[in-house]
Amino acid sequence: GGATLALLKVQAWVFILQRASRHWLTAWACKHPGALRQGQVWRLVTPTLLHANLAHLLVNGAGLFCLGPVAEAALGPERALLVFFGAGLGANLASYACNPMPAVGSSGAVFGLIGALGAFALRHRALLGEDGSAALAQLSGALALNMAFGAASPNIDNWGHFGGLLSGALLAEAVGPRFVAALLRNAERLSNLISDLLDISRIESGL
């Protein structure tokens, strides 16, 4: 989707600026508990656009590339962007509260998209039937694998991931669409979306 591509371009340009500034931008915009306590509240938002290195950018970019278009189709581009940045904010708040180390990255926002898609599938489980149950099961499996990987990796901000996941689910529940079975167009859209969800959850499980 267009919003996803725009986000990917912004993240790429921000990474170039991080390198061009010799990481001054990283120091100014990362989540830093001490700086946040001094009132630098922008650090609850800006870390979502920063990355520690190229591998970090590529991994998170791949997750956004896979999940973003599905979230746009399910929620609409504007609400998908709201979920992405809202989940990023939730991730940084959780990280600030529970992780004393500086942090950067969009992984909390990407986990927010997983939470939002899970909330979408759960809300429409009666309409989606067996496909909805399969999508939820596979999203849960992909989430469990990613959480297990995070738990085994000391440099990963698992509090940020959890905060993003929960924030994304809550935002999707609050602002997400509610499809009606009687509308054929909505039923067709749901069918296409659940197919995408199943494909995405298989990809996420394989990462």
Side-chain angles (χ1 to χ4, degrees):
T4 298
L5 292 177
L7 280 174
L8 289 169
K9 289 177 182 178
V10 169
Q11 288 185 344
W13 278 109
V14 169
F15 183 72
I16 291 171
L17 290 174
Q18 286 179 256
R19 291 303 180 96
S21 69
R22 298 188 178 184
H23 294 290
W24 175 88
L25 178 60
T26 308
W28 179 81
C30 70
K31 185 226 81 180
H32 190 288
L36 279 164
R37 285 192 290 271
Q38 294 175 9
Q40 297 181 16
V41 294
W42 65 83
R43 294 176 182 270
L44 292 174
V45 178
T46 50
T48 302
L49 298 175
L50 304 174
H51 290 89
N53 51 53
L54 183 58
H56 192 204
L57 173 67
L58 292 176
V59 169
N60 285 340
L64 177 58
F65 181 77
C66 290
L67 294 165
V70 184
E72 286 187 64
L75 307 173
E78 294 83 5
R79 283 180 286 204
L81 284 172
L82 174 64
V83 166
F84 182 84
F85 284 106
L89 173 61
N92 289 317
L93 281 168
S95 180
Y96 169 62
C98 302
N99 178 12
M101 301 299 294
V104 295
S106 63
S107 56
V110 172
F111 267 79
L113 294 180
I114 295 176
L117 290 172
F120 176 89
L122 187 63
R123 171 184 290 169
H124 297 97
R125 61 190 181 280
L127 298 179
L128 299 174
E130 292 183 1
D131 284 342
S133 298
L136 281 170
Q138 292 195 26
L139 280 171
S140 298
L143 177 62
L145 284 174
N146 280 283
M147 286 294 193
F149 178 75
S153 305
N155 293 326
I156 290 180
D157 189 351
N158 292 296
W159 285 109
H161 289 175
F162 179 76
L165 177 75
L166 180 61
S167 298
L170 291 175
L171 282 167
E173 185 62 27
V175 305
R178 287 168 170 79
F179 288 104
V180 179
L183 298 178
L184 178 60
R185 182 176 62 181
N186 283 346
E188 291 174 348
R189 185 176 172 190
L190 276 173
S191 177
N192 293 333
L193 282 172
I194 201 60
S195 177
D196 289 340
L197 279 171
L198 287 168
D199 290 342
I200 289 300
S201 58
R202 292 187 190 106
I203 292 170
E204 289 292 300
S205 296
L207 289 178

